[in-house]
Amino acid sequence: MRELAYLRPSDPADAVSLVANDPDARFLGGGTNLVDHLKLGVATPGTLVDVSHLPLDALEEHDGGLLVGANVRNSDLAADRRVRTGWPVLSRALLSGASGQIRNQATTAGNLLQRTRCVYFLDVTTPCNKREPGSGCSAAEGYGRYNAILGAGPACVTVHPSDLAVGLVAVDATVVVLGPDGERRVPAADLHRLPGDDAARDTVLGHGELITAVELPRSAHARTSTYVKVRDRASFAFALVSVAVAIDRAEDGTVRDLRIVWGGVAHKPWRATRAEDALRGRPLTEAGVRDAAEAELDQARPTAGTEYKPAMVRNATALAFRRLVPDLAEEAR
Amino acid sequence: MTELVPSPVEPKAIGTALPRVDGVEKVTGRAAYAVEHPVDRPLFAWLVTSTVARGRVVAVDRSEALAHPGVVSVVDHTDAPRLAQTDNGELAILQDDAVGFRGQIVAVVLAESSEAAREGARLVRVEQEAEPFEAELREDNASYRPEKVNPAMETDTDQGDVDTALGTATTVLEQTYRTPYEHNNPLEPHATTAWWSEEDGRERLTLFDSSQGVHGVATALAPMLGIDREQIRVMAPFVGGGFGSKGEAHAHVMAAALAARTTGGRPVRLAVTRQQMFSLTGYRTATISKFRLGTDDDGRLTAIEHRVQEQTSRLREFAEQTASPTRMMYAAPNRRTSHRLAVLDVAVPSWMRAPGEMPGMFAHEVAMDELAEACGLDPVELRRRNDPDVDPEEGLPFDRRGLVECLDRGAERFGWASRPRAPRSTADGEWWVGTGVASATYPAMRQPGNVARVESTDTGFAVSIGAVDIGTGARTALTQIAADALGVGTDDIDLRLGDTALPMASVAGGSSGTSSWGSAIVAAAQQFLADHGDRPDPGLWTEASALRGDEADRFSFHSFGAVFAEVHVHRYTGELRVPRMLGVYSVGRVVNPTTARSQLVGGLVMGMSAALFEESVRDPRFGHVVTQDLATYHVAAHADVAGIEAEWLDESTTTFTPMGSRGIGEIGIVGTAAAVANAAYHATGVRVRDLPLTADAFLE
Ligand SMILES: Cc1cc2nc3c(=O)[nH]c(=O)nc-3n(C[C@H](O)[C@H](O)[C@H](O)COP(=O)(O)OP(=O)(O)OC[C@H]3O[C@@H](n4cnc5c(N)ncnc54)[C@H](O)[C@@H]3O)c2cc1C
Ligand code: SF4
């Protein structure tokens, strides 16, 4: 048995200092991801600092928007009536992920900080830069079906698995972080990073930084938002690709503002800004949406196993718009 | 022990939906599985496995592991007990330094707790020397012709003149079909508890093993361990599924037995992890099937050729009989089948539900769908036209050839008549909609050598046979058979299974269990009544074995089925969903409709799962399967299983068994993947010939 210390502080600041001062310590949320890694030997912390009992489970009105405590369970967040009407993309993203049991256990913060499902990352007998920096990337020329097509490499070609993270970028959420030097706010879009030559770091957070909450600003586009997730199995599967779309349209149907965010294509939720720019201020057509997606996909670099992803994400984007804009569906008839 | 040909049984309990006799024990958690039995001071074992695909173990450094609290010992090839026989390369573990595949057992750690054993295993440092290896099945691997294919069939067959017939055929179809590696993944991972003791001056090995056949385990292990079969007792009172992967003892059983020989009698508990199952407990080989079919003007087959390329492991041969159903399925005067194996440095393949029939009939039935289109015939009609009068291979009449009845009844129930012939004709909102059909078949098998014991007790009869109920409901069905054979109620039967201390029984495999064990029970019951009358005093007993008459020389015995599937393919994402499936089967008399339905529906689900999801991805650079958990090896989830129905023809085949049954465990998976693939083609016009059918193949 590997002995490890299990601590359960009652104050967030204590939790932060316990981890910040011990390079071998890790936060533990619902444990649905980290405990698997302990069993597989993928994570080998000496100390677990359980933060799931900290009083970070508020789900309340705040500053005109909604404040989601780090410990709000995925199932509670998905079911909340305010979320379902003000930020429907979040409910849909959450409900498309994992299973009922896991969503009951998983926390908001843990969901954002879950690690890749790359098969080589999870198999300690194969090289992986993310698990063991400098050992190499087995996925680059290996099993590639789930690999990235945007912003990949050179160190790592995997994608971030969280559905919730993709939705949060589409609604301009902010992640509230408590660190040894106090609190800071990180836009959800900037939380995860591209791998560059440092595969080990998934996010911009430093060791000992605790996510305490996520802030959801109210917006017209967040209210008209949805999530399309494409996967082989009807449930209980990570995305092949996924799309979060949020739009605000003027009376005449032209797009006032929008967000298009892709999952399953990059090491972070991929905000398709080129596609957004192509559509902003214009009336919507399905062909226009497809062209806009293609404009974004100019930068895509599919590799063996991911040849299908550009077409799939383009189509899924068109589908998401159809779901939000009934006249698009009409037009296609 | 008496041997007799049992006479047919009058069905009373047989055919009724008797609830599972062990249902309450299972749902209340009282049923104990292989590592749950209370034993005295167990040691926990954890396996250390190789990380090269071929090579040798240079050194095993145990020092760190042994220093870990709780670790008691480490056993490796330098000090493991020697085996008396080593010709079974899969089971002969820890005998030398050779590594034959990645994931092979190279050491066993024993500790006072499972956690300590696991950490100990992590701390064992195994220095290995890697050698060049091959772990990729391709069309152009060097391959050889095995002497036989599983279980003991001809490797190749050749009747008539296929090449000439194809040269003059009106329509010729030539295509290649592929199925991937698949892993059985029963709910209960493989597990064994083992201990050695001494009795009357002789060594004795006792095992609780999660096995499909306790007698087979004893027979395989005894000569290797250098002991008599009687010195081994194997028990498997409850087993959480197997699908063939527990049909034979795999290396972990030997690991437990060897490790337990070093503990001075303390029992060893060994549970294989889900990840280790992807290397250690068998799997279905990938297959490449090359088909050539030729027909005359009327769509009657004149030539059938099925050439198979697949793989085996260098350590032990397993030759999947992929082309075997092609030999008896449809009429054609000219027919040729062959199997070739590439020898790879990979884990040892084994049985997985319907070995041979599942991959072979996927290929054959997609080919038939393509042929129907090429001939301008409805796919049901094409199959009807090619239904043979006699077994095309053996020349014998079929005892029952129920295929056309299954097709006709299924077509009616499924609403086949209103199906548009052309593919890509039906859209429903965002989805393309299509339907497909495929035939299913499975040979009826009755294994020899089964013995049952009937004993009168104060409360009725104890009926014993060393067979295993792996969750199929065998315990329930056999109770019904015993009751009818003895002319009493099911409450009067105390059925005892799953122990080599009970009479000899064959493996729960090949859909032969109920037929083989049930016939022995009927024989023993009938002999008991002849010996002791129908009002016996308690304590009288009879053991008997069921002989067969000459019916096998007179008839060819097979089950048949027809599978219909409706598939929806998303026009934007390519995602496939199967809202509706129907299987109609000719399987002889159904002993228990509840457990039978669960077998048939379970087979249909597994076939659909194979159609859409299942694939073990072997990384040829490393040699092992990298999708080695249930998050990456996808099996159908609840949301994938919508309207699945199974029904059967009302029939009885007492020429085959005294119960009139023929076996139902495997046929549900046969043909099902083809029905789904054919429906996906009908929906979209996209023909996919390689499993699984994933969304990317249907993207537009
Ligand atoms: C079979 C399966 C299927 C799944 N399918 C999906 C899916 O389809 N889509 C999807 O999005 N997800 C899926 N998941 C992943 C699931 O969403 C995550 O496991 C879960 O959200 C993690 O939350 P947790 O609270 O259990 O995190 P934990 O496992 O406790 O922690 C995860 C990480 O977050 C860190 N952490 C936890 N809390 C904090 C905090 N407050 N501040 C800083 N760091 C913290 C931990 O140190 C750890 O590194 C699946 C999981 C499983 C097991
Ligand atoms: S893609 Fe990233 S996670 Fe996967 S093997 Fe490469 S470095 Fe590791």
Side-chain angles (χ1 to χ4, degrees):
Chain A
M1 191 174 338
R2 192 177 328 138
E3 306 247 324
L4 48 77
Y6 171 83
L7 305 174
R8 194 193 273 192
S10 51
D11 179 54
D14 291 346
V16 169
S17 69
L18 283 170
V19 174
N21 296 322
D22 178 356
D24 230 15
R26 293 279 297 275
F27 295 121
L28 176 70
T32 60
N33 194 226
L34 184 52
V35 173
D36 276 2
H37 292 169
L38 298 181
K39 291 188 194 162
L40 294 169
V42 170
T44 52
T47 299
L48 287 182
V49 176
D50 188 345
V51 295
S52 69
H53 298 272
L54 293 177
L56 301 173
D57 45 12
L59 184 49
E60 64 198 22
E61 298 289 337
H62 168 80
D63 221 4
L66 206 61
L67 183 79
V68 182
N71 284 338
V72 172
R73 303 287 159 162
N74 290 177
S75 46
D76 293 333
L77 184 59
D80 188 85
R81 209 172 42 78
R82 292 161 297 183
V83 175
R84 279 171 23 217
T85 52
W87 300 267
V89 64
L90 301 184
S91 291
R92 287 185 189 277
L94 283 165
L95 293 175
S96 75
S99 67
Q101 293 92 329
I102 290 170
R103 292 193 297 267
N104 284 340
Q105 178 71 13
T107 63
T108 302
N111 187 312
L112 296 180
L113 299 183
Q114 65 173 296
R115 307 210 67 195
T116 175
R117 309 302 295 201
C118 176
V119 295
Y120 304 99
F121 174 75
L122 293 166
D123 178 348
V124 296
T125 72
T126 54
C128 167
N129 285 329
K130 192 179 277 299
R131 182 169 28 76
E132 217 182 304
S135 63
C137 171
S138 297
E141 283 167 20
Y143 176 45
R145 188 153 187 260
Y146 287 86
N147 285 356
I149 55 169
L150 287 159
C156 175
V157 296
T158 196
V159 301
H160 197 267
S162 168
D163 292 300
L164 174 64
V166 178
L168 288 178
V169 175
V171 299
D172 313 317
T174 300
V175 179
V176 185
V177 179
L178 184 65
D181 305 325
E183 196 172 87
R184 66 173 176 133
R185 287 181 155 61
V186 182
D190 300 335
L191 178 66
H192 297 93
R193 55 184 289 282
L194 292 179
D197 53 14
D198 178 8
R201 287 176 57 221
D202 299 348
T203 69
V204 299
L205 300 188
H207 184 72
E209 282 197 299
L210 177 77
I211 294 182
T212 56
V214 174
E215 293 171 352
L216 306 179
R218 238 174 253 289
S219 69
H221 58 269
R223 235 182 340 267
T224 315
S225 62
T226 196
Y227 192 70
V228 168
K229 177 172 174 179
V230 186
R231 49 192 157 168
D232 295 326
R233 203 155 58 170
S235 76
F236 213 17
F238 289 92
L240 294 167
V241 304
S242 69
V243 179
V245 170
I247 21 179
D248 172 25
R249 289 198 306 159
E251 298 280 286
D252 64 359
T254 56
V255 177
R256 251 199 305 255
D257 200 5
L258 82 168
R259 300 287 179 275
I260 302 174
V261 190
W262 290 340
V265 296
H267 198 257
K268 57 183 284 190
W270 187 269
R271 182 153 170 205
T273 45
R274 288 192 200 178
E276 290 176 10
D277 292 346
L279 295 170
R280 202 173 277 111
R282 307 239 166 83
L284 278 176
T285 63
E286 184 164 331
V289 172
R290 286 172 181 271
D291 288 347
E294 292 289 359
E296 185 74 32
L297 286 163
D298 268 356
Q299 321 155 65
R301 298 285 170 272
T303 49
T306 55
E307 297 91 344
Y308 71 93
K309 280 196 176 182
M312 188 177 274
V313 77
R314 177 201 65 210
N315 288 7
T317 306
L319 181 61
F321 276 90
R322 271 170 72 101
R323 298 252 161 98
L324 288 174
V325 182
D327 6 330
L328 274 195
E330 282 305 312
E331 168 216 338
R333 289 241 160 100
Chain B
M1 205 248 319
T2 321
E3 293 185 310
L4 67 150
V5 178
S7 38
V9 175
E10 185 67 35
K12 279 168 88 180
I14 291 174
T16 64
L18 179 69
R20 281 177 190 259
V21 294
D22 48 11
V24 173
E25 272 167 287
K26 287 189 174 177
V27 298
T28 55
R30 272 186 289 132
Y33 291 79
V35 283
E36 298 178 338
H37 296 276
V39 288
D40 190 30
R41 295 202 315 131
L43 282 170
F44 294 82
W46 207 273
L47 300 174
V48 180
T49 56
S50 65
T51 53
V52 299
R54 189 174 183 180
R56 50 183 213 97
V57 175
V58 178
V60 178
D61 179 356
R62 327 166 175 201
S63 50
E64 258 187 276
L66 289 172
H68 190 75
V71 171
V72 172
S73 64
V74 179
V75 180
D76 67 27
H77 70 278
T78 62
D79 60 355
R82 294 299 102 178
L83 293 171
Q85 276 181 17
T86 55
D87 40 344
N88 180 331
E90 181 184 8
L91 293 184
I93 54 164
L94 304 179
Q95 299 301 297
D96 57 32
D97 62 359
V99 173
F101 64 89
R102 189 176 175 118
Q104 191 178 8
I105 299 169
V106 293
V108 184
V109 176
L110 294 174
E112 297 291 349
S113 71
S114 159
E115 293 80 2
R118 185 172 206 168
E119 182 62 8
R122 207 177 64 87
L123 295 173
V124 174
R125 305 274 170 253
V126 185
E127 191 189 326
Q128 296 154 88
E129 197 174 272
E131 288 167 17
F133 65 95
E134 185 172 12
E136 185 174 25
L137 176 66
R138 299 182 312 267
E139 278 187 42
D140 62 351
N141 291 116
S143 59
Y144 76 103
R145 180 183 181 283
E147 229 160 77
K148 292 274 176 194
V149 295
N150 178 59
M153 293 183 170
E154 294 304 319
T155 303
D156 297 351
T157 59
D158 200 348
Q159 289 167 268
D161 182 347
V162 166
D163 296 313
T164 305
L166 285 170
T168 57
T170 313
T171 309
V172 174
L173 179 97
E174 182 170 356
Q175 282 299 350
T176 302
Y177 305 88
R178 289 183 180 77
T179 63
Y181 295 109
E182 292 167 353
H183 277 78
N184 315 47
N185 276 310
L187 193 57
E188 182 203 13
H190 297 61
T192 303
T193 302
W195 69 94
W196 291 81
S197 54
E198 219 180 87
E199 220 169 89
D200 307 328
R202 291 184 95 199
E203 277 186 309
R204 201 176 158 84
L205 170 64
T206 309
L207 301 168
F208 281 109
D209 188 34
S210 188
S211 167
Q212 293 176 226
V214 286
H215 282 284
V217 171
T219 305
L221 259 53
M224 295 187 73
L225 293 166
I227 56 178
D228 290 339
R229 217 186 151 283
E230 295 70 42
Q231 288 169 266
I232 301 190
R233 181 172 181 194
V234 185
M235 290 173 279
F238 293 98
V239 174
F243 306 116
S245 70
K246 296 172 183 171
E248 293 191 298
H250 292 294
H252 65 281
V253 184
M254 185 59 88
L258 286 177
R261 220 171 192 178
T262 69
T263 64
R266 286 184 72 179
V268 167
R269 278 186 176 161
L270 192 159
V272 178
T273 66
R274 184 65 65 183
Q275 283 82 0
Q276 289 169 344
M277 285 170 69
F278 282 82
S279 312
L280 288 175
T281 59
Y283 60 95
R284 194 194 303 285
T285 172
T287 68
I288 304 170
S289 282
K290 292 186 174 280
F291 255 93
R292 288 198 295 167
L293 300 173
T295 70
D296 65 13
D297 294 345
D298 300 327
R300 289 196 165 75
L301 285 160
T302 53
I304 301 175
E305 183 185 66
H306 186 180
R307 289 181 296 135
V308 180
Q309 166 87 344
E310 47 198 16
Q311 61 125 65
T312 184
S313 158
R314 198 176 301 282
L315 285 188
R316 187 180 183 211
E317 179 181 278
F318 179 82
E320 178 119 355
Q321 70 273 37
T322 303
S324 70
T326 307
R327 296 171 182 168
M328 48 61 65
M329 197 57 209
Y330 297 112
N334 307 291
R335 34 204 320 122
R336 186 153 68 203
T337 63
S338 65
H339 297 86
R340 296 293 177 271
L341 300 183
V343 183
L344 301 183
D345 301 295
V346 297
V348 183
S350 178
W351 300 324
M352 178 161 169
R353 205 173 198 171
E357 272 74 16
M358 191 275 153
M361 286 293 280
F362 164 72
H364 200 348
E365 290 300 296
V366 176
M368 289 298 279
D369 202 61
E370 298 200 60
L371 186 66
E373 187 173 36
C375 295
L377 285 173
D378 178 86
V380 171
E381 176 57 25
L382 177 72
R383 289 170 173 86
R384 193 184 285 116
R385 276 189 204 182
N386 287 290
D387 200 49
D389 299 327
V390 296
D391 183 323
E393 187 186 21
E394 314 225 337
L396 291 173
F398 288 99
D399 165 64
R400 172 102 172 88
R401 171 110 189 168
L403 176 62
V404 171
E405 270 170 78
C406 291
L407 284 163
D408 287 346
R409 174 152 159 193
E412 192 192 315
R413 301 287 295 243
F414 198 73
W416 188 257
S418 60
R419 174 191 199 248
R421 177 76 59 82
R424 211 180 172 84
S425 329
T426 311
D428 179 7
E430 292 168 358
W431 300 85
W432 291 113
V433 175
T435 50
V437 65
S439 304
T441 188
Y442 200 79
M445 287 192 254
R446 234 181 93 176
Q447 310 293 351
N450 283 278
V451 180
R453 178 186 165 102
V454 172
E455 183 174 352
S456 49
T457 63
D458 291 333
T459 56
F461 295 94
V463 177
S464 314
I465 183 163
V468 181
D469 182 342
I470 60 171
T472 56
R475 191 175 264 119
T476 308
L478 295 179
T479 298
Q480 292 168 270
I481 291 168
D484 285 358
L486 287 161
V488 297
T490 51
D491 284 346
D492 299 325
I493 302 296
D494 171 14
L495 194 81
R496 298 172 187 176
L497 296 181
D499 189 341
T500 51
L502 305 176
M504 181 61 84
S506 50
V507 66
S511 300
S512 66
T514 305
S515 300
S516 311
W517 314 324
S519 297
I521 287 175
V522 172
Q526 291 174 347
Q527 187 63 40
F528 181 97
L529 297 178
D531 291 349
H532 309 296
D534 54 8
R535 292 169 162 233
D537 293 329
L540 301 170
W541 60 272
T542 293
E543 271 188 17
S545 175
L547 291 175
R548 296 185 70 176
D550 64 350
E551 64 273 7
D553 303 328
R554 293 187 289 124
F555 296 109
S556 173
F557 293 101
H558 292 266
S559 289
F560 292 92
V563 189
F564 293 79
E566 178 176 326
V567 170
H568 292 193
V569 181
H570 199 279
R571 291 160 61 190
Y572 282 66
T573 65
E575 286 165 295
L576 289 94
R577 302 289 177 250
V578 182
R580 206 158 64 97
M581 280 207 300
L582 169 68
V584 179
Y585 296 99
S586 159
V587 288
R589 193 192 300 287
V590 162
V591 175
N592 182 318
T594 304
T595 54
R597 179 169 283 111
S598 121
Q599 283 298 298
L600 295 170
V601 168
L604 286 162
V605 170
M606 206 165 172
M608 184 264 276
S609 183
L612 301 184
F613 313 120
E614 294 191 34
E615 176 174 19
S616 311
V617 177
R618 188 186 297 294
D619 188 326
R621 302 168 306 164
F622 298 112
H624 69 306
V625 167
V626 294
T627 52
Q628 48 191 333
D629 57 34
L630 293 176
T632 49
Y633 182 92
H634 283 174
V635 299
H638 283 99
D640 298 302
V641 179
I644 296 198
E645 282 180 60
E647 26 183 282
W648 46 85
L649 307 181
D650 187 13
E651 60 182 35
S652 167
T653 175
T654 49
T655 38
F656 186 64
T657 61
M659 301 78 71
S661 61
R662 245 191 340 256
I664 49 170
E666 280 156 290
I667 194 167
I669 196 177
V670 181
T672 306
V676 171
N678 295 341
Y681 170 75
H682 184 241
T684 60
V686 178
R687 179 66 74 181
V688 178
R689 301 183 180 89
D690 301 350
L691 291 182
L693 311 166
T694 48
D696 40 290
F698 296 90
L699 269 183
E700 292 170 8

